[in-house]
Each structure stands twice: as C-alpha cells, then as structure tokens.
Amino acid sequence: ESEPGSTTIASLLLMLSFAVLGASTALLAGASAPAGANGVVRPRAAVLLAEAAATTDEQKASGISWDSHQYVDQAPESLIRDDDLQGANQDMRRRFEENCRRAQNAICKAVSELDGAEFREDVWTRPGGGGGISRVLCNGNVFEKAGCSLSVVYGSMPQDALQSATSRGADRAKGYAPGERVPFFACGLSSVMHPRNPMAPTMHFNYRYFETDGGVWWFGGGSDITPAYLFEEDIAHFHQTYKDVCDTHDPEYYARFKKWADEYFTIKHRGETRGLGGIFFDDQNDRDPEAIFAFSKECLDSVVPAYLPLVAKHKDDSFTQQQKEWQLMRRGRYVEFNLVYDRGTVFGLKTGGRIESILMSLPETARWEYSHEPAAGSPEAEIMDAFKTPREWAK
C-alpha cells in the first residue's frame, strides 16, 4: 500500500503512457517534426514510430531482445558458453561468473537473515548463450525492496553505441573495420536495496567484466550509499570500508574512484548528487587482469560489512510521516538518475536486456512535490548541503 501522496513507479509509468498517448493524438492531428536531411517534413508521430522500429531492428541485429530469454527451473552450472575465439579469456569469464554467483549467494543470505523474508528467484537463459539469475525481496520486514541480479550477456553493438558506454573513450572497437558491429561478452552482478525506515540508507553496487571478440577487455564497478538523513558516522564507516580495500590494492584508488563516484552520480538537471557516493570505476585495463579481478572480488566481499550494520542500526528507529515523505522524495531523485543518466540502464535497454532485471533498481514507491524546499536548519536541509557539495568522509 502506498504512502499518502506517494506515487508507485508502476503508476508513474502509467501516467507517462497516458501523457504520451495524449501528446501523440495532438501530434497526429497536425504537428510535424523538423525537416529531415532530404527536406521532407514528417509528422512527429511517424518519427516516434520510426525510432521504435529502429530500436527493434537494433535488438534483432544484436542477437538478443527483450523477449528472447527463456525461463528455466534451475540455474545451469554455468551461463558461460564454450567459445573457441582467438584472444578470448575463457578462464576469466568463467571465474568472474563464479565469483558473482558466490557473492550473490552470500549477500542474499545475509540480507534474508536481517530481514526475515526470502528472495524470489528467476532464472533464464538465451538461445545464443548467457542468461541470468535475478533475486528480489519485496515487502519485507526491513526492506521494501531488495534486488541482486546476475547477468551474462553475449551480443553485438554498433561501434558508436559501444563507445558511448565508456566514460574515458576506451578503444572498444579495436580489430574491427569502421561501421562494423562489435560482438561482446559481459558479466556482472548488480544490486539495489531500499529499506523501509527513512533513517536507514539505500545502497547500490555493480561489478562487471567486459570483453569484445576483438580481444579488448575491461573491468568496471562500484558501491555507493544513498541516505535520506545524515548520520556522519554511518557514511564515514561505509567510505572507510572501501578506502581500506582500495588502499590494499593501490593507494591512489580511493581518491580517484571516490571523485569518479561523486561526478558520475550527479543529477545534472538538479545540481545535486543522488546520494553520498562511495567508489566508482570503469574501463579498468591498465594492469594485469588478475590484479583488477582481485580488487573487484574484495569490493564485492565488502558489501555486507560496509552496509548491513547501518541498516541493522536504524531499522527500528522511530520516524514521522513527514520524514517518510522526505525519504520518498529522495527516492524520486533516485528514479530520475537511473532513468535519465545511468549508463547501465541505457546499456541494458539498448542491448535488449530483460526489462524486469534492468528496472529492478527502482523503488516500489516514490514521491514528487512541486518546487519543494526543505526548511532552513532542518535535518533535510543539512543533508541537501551534502548532496550539493560533496565531502570527504574517510581518513
């Protein structure tokens, strides 16, 4: 049941659908799109239909689409297919998937023990190889929604689309002629957890490994925290946990990846960050892959000690209706970032990923108030300052 004045995400999408339908009706009645390259003016509805058709064509060309997955009762021993490709690191592909599955089991077990409720599991495969294991806990005692999803993807993308998925312009099309599609492999584990209590923070992580059939490889990932109310010792604990991990592997990692997180998780149209950061990295292939794999593994192993003690600490805190509404407004910001800026969401939609897994990160309820400003000197204003001016949390 929704909080008074809140908006379920399903209702939001339904309202957006009605708005699009209404706009389309008006456009069909006579509005037109700007002239194309050949000078022909097309009705804007035709432009929208053409864009939708292009998306469908792109999914067909990639070899996967939103409905190409097949549900199975039990996960196979591995979702990695046997490829005899020159330059393919089959051993790393298999070990990365094995580590993701191990971490998924450990994290879901710890969350279930804290909440008292179990995760629902969906397993699927694809005819061309790959698949996924999604686990979602809904309407729990502690968590309104907690998801942890493993994905293994084989597909292909245009070079410009693959290039847009990077933040520093890595040459992902190496070995392919201009305009040629780039076959790729991707494996990752991602999670978002939304507690019920507004004093307990939301947490997100994602760790992934990519290869192209041209022999280019890279790692990416990160963990970040999104509180509605500021408890400085909690944020310091989360950041210090990951700084300690970073320092073990490279003393320059934390400062670099913390700054990267602050920049990446900025909601540009709001001039504020989604939360209070953590670490974020992408396109990591500047050293032995074994070293980066070990770093990624330790980051995943740090999810439970970095985050769950904070939820356990605050899950039974008292709160007011006003504080709950503020939490829902911050969740609204979470939705805005994920649907507008998040590179993983865009990548999943472009490559025809399973929709329920792509949108697993969205909370069940959120809230938007017109031109809302927190009262000066309030706890809400205090954390807004931290969202607008990133701070240093670790020692």
Side-chain angles (χ1 to χ4, degrees):
E1 186 173 315
S2 301
E3 296 293 327
S6 67
T7 303
T8 65
I9 302 304
S11 298
L12 174 65
L13 294 175
L14 183 61
M15 287 188 287
L16 287 172
S17 298
F18 282 129
V20 170
L21 285 171
S24 298
T25 302
L27 292 166
L28 284 167
S32 298
N38 59 2
V40 176
V41 176
R42 293 189 293 167
R44 192 169 297 276
V47 175
L48 296 174
L49 290 172
E51 290 175 349
T55 299
T56 301
D57 290 343
E58 166 57 31
Q59 290 175 12
K60 289 178 180 177
S62 75
I64 54 178
S65 64
W66 295 323
D67 59 357
S68 65
H69 56 275
Q70 300 171 345
Y71 290 103
V72 295
D73 293 331
Q74 188 173 0
E77 184 175 341
S78 175
L79 293 166
I80 307 296
R81 72 188 186 196
D82 292 323
D83 282 341
D84 187 19
L85 294 170
Q86 183 178 1
N89 191 337
Q90 285 293 108
D91 180 62
M92 180 58 73
R93 293 182 182 192
R94 292 189 181 281
R95 286 194 295 134
F96 197 87
E97 186 214 14
E98 289 171 1
N99 185 57
C100 286
R101 290 173 77 154
R102 176 196 62 81
Q104 184 183 40
N105 290 336
I107 292 167
C108 289
K109 181 176 183 290
V111 172
S112 287
E113 289 175 352
L114 177 62
D115 190 284
E118 297 297 322
F119 282 79
R120 163 183 169 171
E121 179 177 275
D122 290 316
V123 183
W124 72 95
T125 59
R126 295 185 188 274
I133 304 171
S134 280
R135 293 179 184 166
V136 179
L137 186 158
C138 292
N139 197 28
N141 300 302
V142 176
F143 293 94
E144 178 184 283
K145 184 180 182 184
C148 190
S149 183
L150 166 73
S151 293
V152 175
V153 182
Y154 293 88
S156 69
M157 290 185 73
Q159 294 182 22
D160 59 345
L162 201 56
Q163 197 78 1
S164 69
T166 181
S167 57
R168 65 177 177 87
D171 182 11
R172 298 183 169 185
K174 180 181 178 182
Y176 290 88
E180 190 177 1
R181 296 182 68 88
V182 181
F184 70 88
F185 161 86
C187 177
L189 183 68
S190 60
S191 175
V192 178
M193 301 186 187
H194 297 287
R196 290 185 175 279
N197 196 303
M199 304 301 159
T202 286
M203 186 276 304
H204 157 264
F205 72 79
N206 176 284
Y207 293 92
R208 53 199 177 272
Y209 175 69
F210 279 79
E211 277 188 29
T212 71
D213 288 5
V216 179
W217 59 268
W218 65 95
F219 293 81
S223 300
D224 61 282
I225 193 164
T226 303
Y229 286 91
L230 181 57
F231 297 93
E232 292 188 355
E233 66 277 14
D234 294 351
I235 309 307
H237 167 82
F238 185 86
H239 276 263
Q240 192 65 49
T241 301
Y242 280 99
K243 183 178 186 299
D244 292 343
V245 173
C246 288
D247 289 350
T248 300
H249 294 266
D250 188 324
E252 295 182 359
Y253 267 177
Y254 176 74
R256 208 166 101 217
F257 295 163
K258 191 266 184 190
K259 182 175 184 292
W260 206 338
D262 289 339
E263 292 172 351
Y264 176 75
F265 291 109
T266 296
I267 308 172
K268 298 178 181 65
H269 61 272
R270 296 284 191 181
E272 62 193 57
T273 55
R274 184 178 77 175
L276 295 183
I279 61 169
F280 177 87
F281 60 93
D282 206 356
D283 307 310
Q284 295 300 294
N285 60 2
D286 61 345
R287 61 197 71 192
D288 189 313
E290 293 295 333
I292 309 176
F293 174 63
F295 172 63
S296 178
K297 181 176 182 295
E298 191 169 351
C299 285
L300 267 175
D301 289 342
S302 299
V303 168
V304 170
Y307 175 61
L308 286 189
L310 309 183
V311 179
K313 175 182 175 182
H314 294 290
K315 65 183 179 66
D316 297 318
D317 287 0
S318 60
F319 59 89
T320 66
Q321 179 62 30
Q322 181 182 359
Q323 289 170 328
K324 183 65 179 179
E325 290 173 359
W326 172 251
Q327 178 199 42
L328 297 179
M329 280 187 273
R330 292 313 305 174
R331 285 185 181 172
R333 297 292 204 269
Y334 206 96
V335 171
E336 290 177 28
F337 176 86
N338 281 33
L339 294 183
V340 177
Y341 301 110
D342 185 68
R343 205 177 301 141
T345 302
V346 173
F347 180 82
L349 293 173
K350 282 187 175 182
T351 56
R354 178 176 176 265
I355 293 297
E356 289 300 325
S357 298
I358 297 169
L359 301 182
M360 176 194 71
S361 63
L362 300 182
E364 291 193 348
T365 55
R367 183 183 181 94
W368 285 264
E369 285 191 15
Y370 181 75
S371 196
H372 180 272
E373 292 289 341
S378 66
E380 293 81 10
E382 177 187 25
I383 198 167
M384 277 302 301
D385 180 71
F387 293 145
K388 291 180 178 293
T389 308
R391 305 177 187 177
E392 297 299 323
W393 301 101
K395 296 179 180 178

